[in-house]
Amino acid sequence: MMREFISCLLAASLLAAQQPAPPDPAWDRLYPNAKVLELMRGYERSYPGWVKVESLGKTSAGGDTWLMTITNPATGAASSKPAVYVDGSTHANEIQGTETTMYIVNFVLKNYGKLPRVTEFLDRATLYLIPMMNIDSRERWFRQPSNPNFPRTLPVPLDDDRDGLIDEDGYDDLNGDGEITMMRKKVPLGRGNFKLDPKDPRLLIPVGPNELGNYIMLGFEGSDNDGDGQVNEDLYGYVDPNRVWGDGFQPRYVQNGASEYPLQYPEARNIAEWMGSHFNVNVVMSYHNFGKLILRMPGARSQRPMPQVDLRVHDFLGKEGELMLPGYKYVWVAPVLGDSYGSSADHTYGRVGAFSVGIELNAPQQDFNNDKNVSQDEVMKFNDELTQGRMFVDWKPFNHPQFGEIEIGGYKHDTGRSPEGFLSVEEYHRNAMYVLLHGFHLPKLVVQTPEVIKVKEGLYRLHIPILNERMIPSVSGIVAQNRIHRQDLAMIEGVKVLASGTVTDRFMNRVELQQHRPERLMVSGGIDGVSTRTLMFLIEARPGKVKFVYDSLKAGKISKEIELP
């Protein structure tokens, strides 16, 4: 305990020697792109060597895919350590994924040297973050009239209604208030399917089977801009940035929102190309909203099931997440949200071998009567009493070019999917701690005390146990299944290796021998989570010290000197 305390003090003094840290951001608000980038650059200036900000390339509309890399440079290069990757705002309207990632950044940097787990994480691992994946459309969400569900797409023009025109009939801010809210129209009695709520005329309620309605809903603000008799049928986009990745990709006639081919657009391609040379990434956590869900892959029920060794890890971390994140549910995505193809999590799992989850932030928090359902009365009560009316735009008359006299009003674009500011901080913090839980369980390998058997003069048999202290294996099951990258390597340096293999029964002295190149033992499957695997080497050597090296793409490189009698 004293050693751990002294280690933290030394680590704190090391990081404190840098420039003054930027002040904590106010976590009760959402930040536009320029402010997010300013924060990223501020951390880079304040923690030189520890924080690196770089562009992975240009995006569809000329932005940049900004990557942050955070680790202790004194303990090794970032790419040599096991890593957690986090991103946010894949869908531009799922806005607070960005703030979640920035909270993580702030927390680990401000608490290195103070909290042992944070210190261990940055010492032995690397944190990669892309706070704004869909950066161009995220900027549009802030700067142009939007609604809670729009814009979501990549900034790629597309002829959604197949009339030869592109993005010509999207939402219109008809009343010029900077919001895309709803349209409703009063009609003669009996021609509507809604009526005014007698308790609150701001709300409409469906009419019963024996009732006559006098209101209809017309959807979000917009008009028939192209004269085809439809409203809002060809919006900005639509290419879904979470349906364009390589693994499990399906064309647009199967998967709505897909691109013409996998990784067609740079937002996904920039990340995929970078990750293809960073196999040290063990964990991928992508922040979305809505629904308080921890989603595991595969995205579709028709895809190959996850190997049991990987499912064990997902189930453990998912169940821990349910405890750490009250109200969240760990689920297999396909049966709950429906089959989807070409997601980033499928790609990073199937092509990189990283344990990949999508996390849906936020859920309705207006359930005043705790019946597990949120009525529109409760949402309005929340608006009136807990935001003092901030969320709702009152209905105002408008003369619509096609619908005539209508009313425009409803909830602002920064409500619903993103929580009110006073509710954000706890969710950011709990999710940051969940990221650190994954960081804690990155593979941590230890060479235990070897057994040295002197067969005869100049000939030794070594049994070397390798312990993985944490839950994530050094090689995931999908890596072995898809042959994504090389297996772990084990070597004895500077001696002649006559035979090597994996000990399958140490009591009966059974070994599964490697047939070729015994000097480079390929440890198929690596070291499973929270387990030990014993390796055998038969070597020609003189008495003295030899060096054992275990080299893992996902767990890093460790070594130990072994004394030969």
Side-chain angles (χ1 to χ4, degrees), residues 375-479:
S375 68
Q376 62 174 352
D377 294 326
E378 288 175 304
V379 176
M380 191 60 77
K381 179 180 176 67
F382 185 93
N383 168 71
D384 292 344
E385 297 180 4
L386 288 169
T387 79
Q388 298 299 303
R390 187 205 77 80
M391 297 166 57
F392 193 81
V393 177
D394 288 330
W395 297 98
K396 298 289 177 59
F398 183 82
N399 186 17
H400 193 279
Q402 284 86 39
F403 300 131
E405 291 299 322
I406 65 168
E407 295 176 339
I408 296 176
Y411 290 98
K412 295 179 179 179
H413 76 290
D414 61 348
T415 64
R417 280 189 175 271
S418 54
E420 289 299 292
F422 71 93
L423 295 172
S424 297
V425 179
E426 180 179 352
E427 190 160 33
Y428 295 159
H429 181 81
R430 286 182 179 273
N431 275 281
M433 299 308 101
Y434 191 42
V435 170
L436 287 175
L437 177 73
H438 284 73
F440 178 78
H441 281 289
L442 291 172
K444 186 178 182 182
L445 306 184
V446 178
V447 182
Q448 295 185 304
T449 303
E451 180 185 4
V452 180
I453 303 168
K454 188 172 184 178
V455 180
K456 64 179 184 178
E457 195 65 38
L459 185 63
Y460 295 88
R461 179 170 177 162
L462 310 180
H463 285 196
I464 306 172
I466 313 297
L467 169 67
N468 184 356
E469 296 182 344
R470 304 294 163 80
M471 192 66 184
I472 296 175
S474 66
V475 176
S476 60
I478 194 70
V479 167

Side-chain angles (χ1 to χ4, degrees), residues 200-222:
D200 190 337
R202 293 173 296 179
L203 302 175
L204 296 180
I205 55 176
V207 296
N210 299 317
E211 295 179 308
L212 298 175
N214 62 342
Y215 272 89
I216 58 174
M217 291 298 300
L218 300 170
F220 284 107
E221 281 182 81

Side-chain angles (χ1 to χ4, degrees), residues 75-93:
T75 57
S79 60
S80 70
K81 303 174 183 179
V84 174
Y85 165 96
V86 185
D87 67 28
S89 293
T90 296
H91 295 120
N93 64 311

